[in-house]
């Protein structure tokens, strides 16, 4: 091991380890844990999630709790989001930025203060593979008086797909219409508090569900008892998020990428762009003004041969970029990819080629998401 | 006809000096859903243990090796057209290619079905 200390807490199996094995999950090492890559098959699980409801165990991710006076301001010193304007019960996608503006992680932050606003309180979910570095980074920068907790006794599930809300509505009546995309609420189940955020990583409607590890197997069984629900592994999680145009940290994002090149400018709140004061603000604002030299784009490939991470991208004979993710897209029926390409070749429709095993595959820059998002927004015209 | 197996999970069915080659049902199960396959063209010279064909699952690319030295007589266009055929019938309709065997003595080191089953059982 190098870079981070071994955490004894995390050396334990994840809370649903035995549950996955009982469901026929094929376990692989991932983020320091043993996790299911698939159950019945990646394509079948992918299609099930697009049509019904897929149950994902994402308990490897880091769940963090920050509270106390000044927490919003402290978070704004780490993230480019307008945390001060984030209302109770609202979720934001944000980026943990290094001092030079490189992306240390991408994350979800939720204001979990009560509507009366008695105390500032925020819940964050960070990536499993980066959580220990994130925790060290955040702890080292938090001012005195802010309470920081790494929730090691909490599990995290995601229920995703067009039938996810209806399934949860059976267990928690009213929840299907109570919260919209990027809003959170909570319920009591068998005496335990369960937090439900309407978000996910598939492009579908759905919820991320934080609950005590002690009851997660029982709750997963309750969800699986509904015939609309099947367990989904990491393989389909990756193909679903790729179709949804959502970047994967450690592949499409890393400490050398910045939010502008990564095409995540939506995560740079208007007030923060104008006022600055977040890590790397000078460099990031200059990139916004001048345009980035390279940009993350989607690529749609002809044929059936997938191109993978690391494959080089060409415009004519000139190398103009590199793939950071790629694979066959079951919903699209052809291979797709994400790549960083020179800004001059980043416009939608640009014809490029990708080198795979000595041959050039025709590809063109395509708008993302590749598959339309299907989020629930109360009052929105469907 | 005799069928042999390799430790790399290819099967080879021999009839005279002609052989039909594919990947085993165990191999397709390990690879998962296949989305691309490419078979060698007739006339291609293959060396024992050398790259012969390529398959791609949703997650990764894998090489298929030739169990023996020989010259390709036919590739299976059906698996290039529909790679899922390998998943559904790996040891039948999902064959990869046929070749003319250069040296029948190379078959001696291969496993028969019983030995291969034992070998696979030891992997899980």
């Amino acid at each position: 091991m190098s870079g981070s200390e071994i955490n004894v807490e995390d050396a334990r199996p994840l809370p649903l380890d035995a549950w996955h094995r009982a469901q026929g999950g094929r376990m692989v090492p991932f983020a320091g844990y043993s996790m299911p890559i698939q159950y019945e098959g990646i394509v079948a699980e992918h299609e099930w999630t697009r049509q019904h409801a897929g149950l994902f165990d994402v308990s490897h991710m880091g769940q963090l709790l920050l509270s106390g006076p000044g927490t919003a301001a402290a978070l704004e010193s780490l993230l480019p989001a307008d945390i001060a304007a984030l209302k109770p019960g609202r979720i934001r996608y944000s980026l943990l930025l290094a001092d030079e503006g490189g992306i240390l992680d991408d994350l979800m932050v939720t204001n979990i203060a009560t509507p009366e606003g008695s105390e500032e309180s925020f819940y964050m979910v960070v990536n499993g593979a980066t959580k220990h570095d994130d925790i060290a980074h955040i702890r080292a920068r938090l001012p005195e008086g802010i309470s920081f907790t790494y929730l090691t006794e909490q599990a995290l599930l995601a229920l995703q797909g067009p039938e996810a809300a209806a399934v949860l509505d059976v267990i928690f009546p009213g929840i299907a219409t109570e919260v919209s995309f990027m809003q959170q609420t909570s319920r009591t189940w068998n005496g335990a508090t369960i937090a439900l955020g309407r978000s996910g990583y598939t492009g579908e409607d759905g919820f991320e569900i934080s609950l005590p590890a002690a009851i997660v197997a029982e709750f997963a069984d309750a969800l699986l008892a509904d015939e609309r629900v099947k367990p989904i592994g990491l393989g389909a999680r990756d193909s679903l998020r790729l179709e949804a145009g959502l970047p994967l940290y450690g592949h499409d994002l890393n400490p050398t990428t910045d939010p502008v090149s990564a095409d995540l400018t939506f995560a740079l709140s208007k007030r923060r762009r104008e006022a600055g004061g977040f890590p790397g603000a000078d460099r990031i604002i200059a990139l916004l003004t001048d345009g980035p030299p390279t940009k993350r784009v989607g690529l749609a490939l002809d044929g059936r041969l997938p191109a993978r991470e690391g494959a080089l991208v060409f415009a004519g004979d000139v190398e103009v970029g590199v793939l950071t993710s790629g694979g066959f897209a079951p919903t699209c029926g052809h291979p797709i990819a994400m790549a960083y390409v020179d800004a001059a070749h980043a416009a939608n429709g640009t014809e490029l080629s990708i080198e795979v095993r000595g041959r050039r595959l025709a590809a063109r820059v395509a708008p993302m998401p590749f598959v339309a998002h299907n989020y629930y927004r109360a009052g929105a015209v469907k | 006809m005799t069928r042999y197996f390799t430790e790399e999970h290819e099967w080879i069915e021999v009839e005279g000096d002609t052989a039909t080659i594919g990947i085993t049902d165990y191999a397709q199960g390990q690879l998962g859903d296949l989305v691309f396959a490419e078979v060698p063209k007739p006339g291609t010279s293959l060396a024992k243990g050398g790259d012969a064909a390529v398959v791609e699952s949703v997650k990764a690319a894998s090489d298929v090796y030739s169990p023996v030295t020989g010259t390709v007589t036919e590739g299976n266009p059906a698996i290039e057209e529909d790679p899922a055929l390998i998943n559904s019938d790996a040891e039948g309709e999902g064959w990869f290619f046929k070749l003319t065997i250069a040296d029948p003595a190379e078959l001696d080191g291969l496993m028969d079905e019983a030995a291969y089953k034992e070998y696979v059982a030891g992997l899980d």
Side-chain angles (χ1 to χ4, degrees):
Chain A
M1 295 286 287
S2 63
S4 63
E5 61 190 279
I6 294 167
N7 186 311
V8 177
E9 289 290 310
D10 294 338
R12 296 182 306 179
L14 287 172
L16 282 182
D17 189 275
W19 189 91
H20 293 307
R21 293 172 200 273
Q23 299 297 331
R26 182 181 297 169
M27 307 300 276
V28 298
F30 186 81
Y33 299 99
S34 192
M35 296 188 66
I37 183 86
Q38 66 171 64
Y39 302 85
E40 63 174 305
I42 293 173
V43 172
E45 292 166 31
H46 180 111
E47 289 172 348
W48 186 267
T49 305
R50 287 266 181 263
Q51 290 162 13
H52 305 284
L55 178 60
F56 301 75
D57 176 20
V58 285
S59 299
H60 63 298
M61 300 186 85
Q63 300 184 66
L64 314 176
L65 203 58
L66 295 94
S67 59
T71 303
L75 285 174
E76 289 202 350
S77 74
L78 302 170
L79 315 172
D82 190 348
I83 302 294
L86 188 63
K87 293 179 185 144
R90 299 297 172 113
I91 308 169
R92 279 285 177 282
Y93 174 81
S94 193
L95 303 164
L96 189 65
L97 296 176
D99 294 340
E100 307 74 32
I103 301 172
L104 298 175
D105 204 358
D106 65 341
L107 55 88
M108 292 289 210
V109 56
T110 305
N111 184 345
I112 55 166
T114 56
E116 303 80 55
S118 55
E119 187 189 43
E120 292 178 47
S121 192
F122 295 88
Y123 165 77
M124 294 206 311
V125 178
V126 302
N127 280 296
T130 46
K131 63 184 176 184
H132 298 302
D133 289 342
D134 291 355
I135 289 167
H137 177 91
I138 295 166
R139 273 189 196 280
R141 285 162 181 77
L142 282 183
E144 293 278 322
I146 293 176
S147 156
F148 178 96
T149 312
Y150 169 30
L151 301 169
T152 55
E153 300 304 320
Q154 285 289 107
L156 191 65
L157 300 176
L159 190 69
Q160 301 278 297
E163 294 177 348
V167 168
L168 276 175
D169 205 65
V170 174
I171 300 172
F172 302 125
I175 201 160
T177 51
E178 180 192 327
V179 285
S180 286
F181 180 59
M182 297 302 265
Q183 296 182 7
Q184 198 214 39
T185 187
S186 63
R187 288 287 193 277
T188 302
W189 190 78
N190 284 4
T193 299
I194 296 187
L196 301 113
R198 201 151 195 173
S199 65
Y201 196 44
T202 61
E204 297 296 331
D205 184 22
F207 289 79
E208 293 198 332
I209 305 159
S210 176
L211 70 174
I215 62 160
V216 65
E218 203 183 338
F219 190 73
D221 283 339
L223 290 175
L224 209 58
D226 191 309
E227 63 183 15
R228 293 169 288 188
V229 178
K230 284 189 178 182
I232 310 296
L234 293 171
R237 180 171 160 82
D238 191 51
S239 55
L240 289 159
R241 71 90 195 166
L242 185 58
E243 286 185 341
L246 303 171
L248 174 60
Y249 194 83
H251 300 265
D252 310 304
L253 309 175
N254 66 53
T256 72
T257 55
D258 64 83
V260 185
S261 306
D263 199 23
L264 298 174
T265 54
F266 74 90
L268 305 169
S269 300
K270 184 165 179 283
R271 176 177 68 80
R272 305 301 310 279
R273 292 185 196 195
E274 289 164 359
F278 55 88
D282 290 351
R283 179 177 159 226
I284 288 168
I285 291 164
L287 283 164
L288 276 169
T289 307
D290 303 337
T294 64
K295 197 178 160 203
R296 181 175 65 95
V297 297
L299 295 172
L301 284 73
D302 291 341
R304 289 189 63 92
L305 177 57
R308 311 288 181 180
E309 181 176 4
L312 299 177
V313 181
F314 291 84
D317 292 331
V318 183
E319 184 184 321
V320 297
V322 61
L323 261 61
T324 50
S325 284
F328 190 81
T331 307
C332 304
H334 58 78
I336 58 173
M338 286 184 198
Y340 279 81
V341 300
D342 293 348
H345 301 282
N348 284 333
T350 305
E351 297 286 343
L352 298 170
S353 64
I354 304 171
E355 190 170 276
V356 176
R357 294 194 292 272
R359 77 177 79 168
R360 298 284 176 83
L361 308 179
R364 76 198 52 76
V365 177
M368 291 192 285
F370 296 97
V371 173
H373 291 161
N374 182 31
Y375 299 140
Y376 175 79
R377 291 182 171 91
V381 179
K382 288 289 267 186
Chain B
M1 287 197 292
T2 313
R3 194 172 281 220
Y4 301 93
F5 296 84
T6 73
E7 291 185 359
E8 286 74 38
H9 308 288
E10 289 94 20
W11 56 265
I12 171 169
E13 184 157 293
V14 179
E15 190 170 17
D17 66 350
T18 300
T20 305
I21 289 152
I23 67 170
T24 64
D25 190 56
Y26 174 83
Q28 71 77 21
Q30 291 295 306
L31 292 168
D33 297 314
L34 294 171
V35 296
F36 176 84
E38 188 172 54
V39 298
K41 291 183 171 47
T44 307
S45 294
L46 298 176
K48 179 182 168 74
D51 292 349
V54 174
V55 287
E56 297 249 4
S57 69
V58 179
K59 285 300 286 177
S62 303
D63 291 316
V64 177
Y65 308 112
S66 183
V68 295
T69 303
T71 303
V72 176
T73 56
E74 191 182 351
N76 184 1
I79 64 166
E80 289 190 337
E81 188 69 28
D82 179 19
L85 190 56
I86 305 164
N87 291 117
S88 59
D89 194 10
E91 300 189 19
E93 293 297 311
W95 60 276
F96 276 60
F97 59 94
K98 296 177 191 288
L99 55 64
T100 306
I101 299 171
D103 178 9
E106 287 181 349
L107 297 167
D108 293 346
L110 302 178
M111 291 176 272
D112 63 12
E113 186 161 11
Y116 178 70
K117 275 187 175 164
E118 198 173 323
Y119 171 70
V120 166
L123 298 176
D124 290 329

